[in-house]
Amino acid sequence: MIKLKITLEQIESLDKRMEKHSEKPGPLMPTLHDAQKIIGCIPNEIQELISNKLKVPIAKINGVVTFYAQFSLVPKGKNVVGVCLGTACYVKGAQAILDKVGSTLKIKSGETSEDGEFTLEATRCIGACGLAPVMSINEEVYGKLNVSKTIEALKEHEGVTLND
Ligand code: FES
């Protein structure tokens, strides 16, 4: 797992964002988005900080962070690979795609590679069912995948060690 180091600059930057958000109703979600962006994840100590500042119970914050896939308690890799396991993708062989990505990157779903390059996630439907089976790498979506197209897509991103 990647070691997390939170800097004073990151805390100050998050604090400024919270000041701004607390002027409007519903400051929690925008704050969490900022925390994820600034720090790369929202661990317990950051949740406590947000709880104190926004006067929102920590249990509520933890519930939101663990519910939404875009938030993470631990640092994610430089590249986040999401393999859709929604119904349309699943019936078109998404499990084989997920297995191939896992064996190629040598990580399981939910894990981050030792070098911090990749995080692998199994996702719900991402709304591109017509292209099933589908995988995303960061913002980019790859569709109508088979095993070799999957490997090609991974190779476009640095740091892939093939393990065939
Ligand atoms: S089920 Fe995979 S994109 Fe919809």
Side-chain angles (χ1 to χ4, degrees), residues 84 86-89 125-129 134:
C84 176
T87 310
C89 289
C125 176
I126 60 166
C129 309
V134 163

Side-chain angles (χ1 to χ4, degrees), residues 10-29:
Q10 287 173 314
I11 299 288
E12 283 171 356
S13 160
L14 179 60
D15 201 57
K16 267 191 213 146
R17 299 297 301 161
M18 283 195 282
E19 292 279 337
K20 217 165 167 216
H21 294 315
S22 44
E23 290 164 10
K24 295 184 199 147
L28 182 57
M29 286 308 271

Side-chain angles (χ1 to χ4, degrees), residues 49-107:
L49 197 124
I50 295 170
S51 169
N52 291 335
K53 182 89 179 185
L54 300 183
K55 310 275 178 268
V56 175
I58 186 101
K60 183 176 176 183
I61 296 177
N62 194 264
V64 175
V65 170
T66 50
F67 182 79
Y68 291 101
Q70 68 261 48
F71 302 134
S72 165
L73 289 164
V74 291
K76 289 192 182 187
K78 211 163 89 190
N79 298 295
V80 179
V81 182
V83 178
C84 176
L85 287 187
T87 310
C89 289
Y90 193 81
V91 298
K92 293 221 168 170
Q95 187 63 52
I97 303 294
L98 180 64
D99 293 345
K100 188 64 193 174
V101 177
S103 65
T104 303
L105 302 179
K106 301 181 192 123
I107 45 175

